[in-house]
Amino acid sequence: MQASVGDKLLVHGRTVGHHDRTAKVLQVLGENGNPPYRVKFEDDGHEALVSPGPDSVVRHRPEAGTG
């Protein structure tokens, strides 16, 4: 998994009653875009240091000038 600052991290809820959460990548602490990431969750504004597991997906921000 690789991310850049500004990408979105989608963390799927793993159990009944836990919803999917989306967070914005604020800082990449690993080498070459690898975890851990400092993120800010969109639903409550909480910031956290995460090392995403297989229940997470990176949604890369659109490239400038495309779309």
Side-chain angles (χ1 to χ4, degrees), residues 21 23-27 37-50:
R21 296 184 77 194
K24 182 176 180 179
V25 177
L26 302 176
Q27 184 178 19
Y37 309 124
R38 187 169 61 86
V39 301
K40 182 174 185 177
F41 286 96
E42 294 181 346
D43 58 351
D44 64 2
H46 177 79
E47 290 188 19
L49 183 64
V50 297

Side-chain angles (χ1 to χ4, degrees), residues 9-36:
L9 181 67
L10 174 63
V11 181
H12 295 290
R14 297 189 313 184
T15 57
V16 174
H18 287 94
H19 62 282
D20 292 354
R21 296 184 77 194
T22 304
K24 182 176 180 179
V25 177
L26 302 176
Q27 184 178 19
V28 177
L29 299 168
E31 293 184 20
N32 300 317
N34 291 311

